[in-house]
Amino acid sequence: MSSARPSAPHRRRTAVRAGVVVLAATSLAACSSTGPATTDRTGIIIGRAMDVNSLDISRSLCDTCQIYNSAVYETVVRATPDGELEPLLAESWEANEDSTQFTFEIDPDAVFADGSAVEAEDVAWSWLRVQNLQGLPSYFMQGITGVEATGDRTVVVTSAAPNSAFLNIASASYMGVVNSDVAAENGATADADAASSDTAEQWFLENSAGSGQYVLDSYSEGSEIVLSANDSYWGEEPNFSSVTIKEVTDASAQLQQLQQGDIDLAMQISFDSLDQIESDSSLTTDVVPSYNFLYLALSPGVAGGEALQDVRVRDAIRMGIDYDTVIDATLAGNGERQSTGIPNGFEGSEDLPIPDFDPDGARALLAEAGYPDGLTLDATYPTFSAYGVSSNTEMQSIQQSLAEVGVTLNLAPVDFSTWGEQIDSTGYPVTAIYFAPDHPDTVQYFQYFSLIDGSVWAGRARMPVSPEENDLVAAALAQSGDERTATYTELGQLMYDDAIILPIVNPSYILASSADLQGNNYDITRNLDLTRLSFTD
């Protein structure tokens, strides 16, 4: 990954990607610390702008949720930093020849935090609940026609069509296993009518029911999530007695609190602050490539988006964005352009076109589409700081470049909860948000961004389903090797041509912490893997 910044004593740049996934943990050199966030050094405090939409694992979908879910719950398999799968709750697993049936054998030693055994029926119940709640993570269960516990330790999953991605999907943090007896006692259900009959979401704001290294101690919206070590944990002992994820919205405030020792690790440091961190011997940093991206989303089917129904207008907007200027303004140049909703480095992304700033071409397309004098669009977006990018800075920079080609964006920043309430109801003609991977398979991006049945953004954009994209996704899930890669690339080109999702930048990522914390990392399914963090002796 390219970078315009020189190396420095307390910063390393991790090697460029070579396929999915080489974003490994990076144990950082120990230096003296002048301001630990905790006095006993057994509990860790993490500073980040939290984007929690729910603490109910089967309803949640956010970066902070990935950290929380994987700390409190466990999946049957987990993805290693190089994209391989390894055992977690399942001691073994297998798929049949055509990838329509998957069998998992649960480890007999696995227990929940209350000491009860993790059984196959808990796995089946948890996954059926994800499917039947019809919440944001339900797309992970697309095409699954059966989940059955065939014994105390055996779970069999059946898919209507070949699904070569399912084992990878099973590693997503949202597929973690819940103690079904405890959850059911508190209003949860996995029945077919769960979307209307499940009443457990409020209970999950104060309780957890998993088998992970930690349990929920308390949650205060807009303030903090506090986890305590699971005294009954069946695996390797947790490295911390407690984990606090503290709401620190602003990147500058994260830097200040890290320097003061109020937090041990900061997750959304701005590149503008990098030199300050490097000059502070009590802190350490690393800059790594990521599979995250920030994007503009166009919704032709919502009120106010009528002009966007002409794909030439959508293309003109893509051509009217001065990407390099936006990347300079938001990340001091520490990011890359990206083709479509498949991040650079994922299977199928390699040969896709990269968007260029072409103001003359954008003006010509607008004139051809009947807008020779330009047009005006409302752009409503949540205020956030993600991956070092301020959404306000990003959108103001995009607004300036689009103005040059005749597109006036009326910017309307809103808080995250307001945005979340409206995006799936009335929707927004133009918005901006971000995405981090959930598991190692590219199919997640088609399930979330393309115009196929059940796609989140096909629904939000009010766009008709593309039979061709539907067929290609089904074909890809029955393929492997070079054949599947070619199909993923073809799908990526169709998503590019749809011009609904316009990636702005694939950012590099700053890992910043106190110098006596080792193992800071960027994790593909967990966002931050707490099991790899520890204080130096």
Side-chain angles (χ1 to χ4, degrees):
M1 174 163 285
S2 62
S3 173
R5 301 185 70 90
S7 59
H10 295 282
R11 185 178 77 209
R12 295 183 303 163
R13 296 192 184 279
T14 301
V16 174
R17 290 175 287 241
V20 177
V21 175
V22 191
L23 298 175
T26 49
S27 299
L28 304 177
C31 301
S32 63
S33 175
T34 58
T38 54
T39 55
D40 59 3
R41 310 305 285 162
T42 62
I44 184 174
I45 302 177
I46 299 165
R48 64 172 287 122
M50 290 196 282
D51 51 356
V52 174
N53 74 308
S54 178
L55 291 187
D56 182 341
I57 184 172
S58 305
R59 290 182 166 94
S60 64
L61 195 72
C62 70
D63 285 10
T64 307
C65 305
Q66 289 181 308
I67 303 169
Y68 173 76
N69 290 345
S70 57
V72 170
Y73 299 94
E74 292 184 305
T75 48
V76 290
V77 293
R78 63 169 293 171
T80 65
D82 59 0
E84 300 297 322
L85 296 180
E86 64 181 17
L88 196 50
L89 284 177
E91 60 179 3
S92 65
W93 58 91
E94 63 180 8
N96 66 356
E97 188 172 354
D98 66 355
S99 294
T100 57
Q101 190 172 84
F102 308 89
T103 303
F104 301 87
E105 292 292 330
I106 303 305
D107 193 316
D109 294 331
V111 296
F112 289 111
D114 67 357
S116 61
V118 178
E119 297 181 326
E121 64 180 14
D122 294 301
V123 181
W125 184 92
S126 299
W127 289 354
L128 287 172
R129 185 167 181 262
V130 170
Q131 186 174 51
N132 291 331
L133 277 176
Q134 300 175 27
L136 288 171
S138 65
Y139 72 92
F140 293 124
M141 295 293 287
Q142 280 183 13
I144 299 302
T145 54
V147 186
E148 184 180 4
T150 59
D152 289 346
R153 296 174 47 220
T154 306
V155 183
V156 177
V157 178
T158 306
S159 174
N163 187 350
S164 61
F166 186 75
L167 292 176
N168 279 325
I169 290 171
S171 72
S173 68
Y174 309 100
M175 297 288 279
V177 176
V178 178
N179 185 328
S180 60
D181 289 338
V182 171
E185 289 171 1
N186 291 281
T189 176
D191 292 348
D193 64 350
S196 59
S197 62
D198 188 290
T199 59
E201 186 171 19
Q202 188 66 31
W203 182 82
F204 278 107
L205 291 176
E206 298 177 356
N207 303 275
S208 57
S211 61
Q213 286 190 325
Y214 300 92
V215 297
L216 177 63
D217 183 278
S218 64
Y219 170 58
S220 176
E221 183 177 0
S223 178
E224 62 182 16
I225 301 173
V226 181
L227 311 178
S228 56
N230 173 6
D231 294 333
S232 300
Y233 187 61
W234 63 286
E236 189 172 336
E237 185 178 349
N239 291 326
F240 305 106
S241 59
S242 64
V243 177
T244 300
I245 305 176
K246 181 180 180 182
E247 177 79 55
V248 187
T249 305
D250 182 73
S252 298
Q254 288 189 21
L255 172 64
Q256 183 179 28
Q257 294 199 22
L258 187 63
Q259 290 177 314
Q260 292 174 343
D262 295 332
I263 59 177
D264 298 298
L265 186 151
M267 296 196 68
Q268 289 129 332
I269 290 290
S270 165
F271 276 93
D272 294 337
S273 305
L274 201 54
D275 289 340
Q276 293 184 59
I277 301 176
E278 291 169 354
S279 63
D280 189 333
S281 62
S282 71
L283 306 178
T284 188
T285 64
D286 195 5
V287 177
V288 298
S290 81
Y291 296 108
N292 305 336
F293 62 96
L294 299 102
Y295 61 95
L296 209 63
L298 309 179
S299 295
V302 308
E306 291 78 6
L308 299 171
Q309 292 174 9
D310 190 325
V311 71
R312 292 172 295 185
V313 173
R314 306 200 296 270
D315 269 334
I317 291 173
R318 174 162 50 200
M319 296 165 69
I321 297 172
D322 185 345
Y323 297 91
D324 291 340
T325 295
V326 177
I327 293 171
D328 285 343
T330 54
L331 291 161
N334 289 276
E336 295 181 345
R337 289 177 287 157
Q338 177 178 314
S339 175
T340 185
I342 309 174
N344 301 327
F346 258 77
E347 182 181 8
S349 66
E350 186 176 358
D351 297 324
L352 295 176
I354 297 297
D356 285 317
F357 178 44
D358 180 1
D360 291 337
R363 293 187 196 97
L365 268 182
L366 287 174
E368 188 180 316
Y371 299 96
D373 299 322
L375 73 158
T376 298
L377 292 164
D378 293 334
T380 305
Y381 61 95
T383 52
F384 61 77
S385 175
Y387 323 135
V389 174
S390 157
S391 59
N392 284 325
T393 303
E394 176 194 25
M395 290 303 289
Q396 288 163 9
S397 184
I398 292 172
Q399 181 189 48
Q400 289 175 7
S401 60
L402 286 178
E404 294 181 25
V405 302
V407 176
T408 300
L409 281 188
N410 292 327
L411 302 185
V414 297
D415 61 69
F416 229 112
S417 60
T418 300
W419 183 87
E421 291 169 1
Q422 297 297 319
I423 188 63
D424 291 314
S425 54
T426 57
Y428 302 115
V430 180
T431 191
I433 191 67
Y434 54 88
F435 196 87
D438 295 312
H439 58 77
D441 198 287
T442 299
V443 75
Q444 66 190 299
Y445 301 108
F446 307 122
Q447 293 173 332
Y448 198 81
F449 293 116
S450 74
L451 302 182
I452 66 170
D453 287 319
S455 155
V456 171
W457 271 106
R460 288 176 174 176
R462 277 63 161 181
M463 288 290 285
V465 166
S466 162
E468 183 179 14
E469 292 179 30
N470 255 348
D471 291 345
L472 283 170
V473 169
L477 291 175
Q479 298 168 339
S480 61
D482 292 343
E483 187 181 29
R484 185 178 65 180
T485 302
T487 304
Y488 278 168
T489 301
E490 187 176 356
L491 274 161
Q493 181 65 56
L494 289 174
M495 286 173 60
Y496 183 90
D497 296 341
D498 292 336
I500 297 297
I501 302 300
L502 309 181
I504 303 302
V505 59
N506 165 213
S508 298
Y509 191 72
I510 299 177
L511 305 174
S513 70
S514 62
D516 62 350
L517 185 69
Q518 60 185 359
N520 199 358
N521 63 85
Y522 166 83
D523 189 87
I524 192 169
T525 60
R526 302 176 170 214
N527 206 294
L528 174 67
D529 184 359
L530 297 175
T531 69
R532 288 188 262 160
L533 291 171
S534 64
F535 290 119
T536 56
D537 295 331

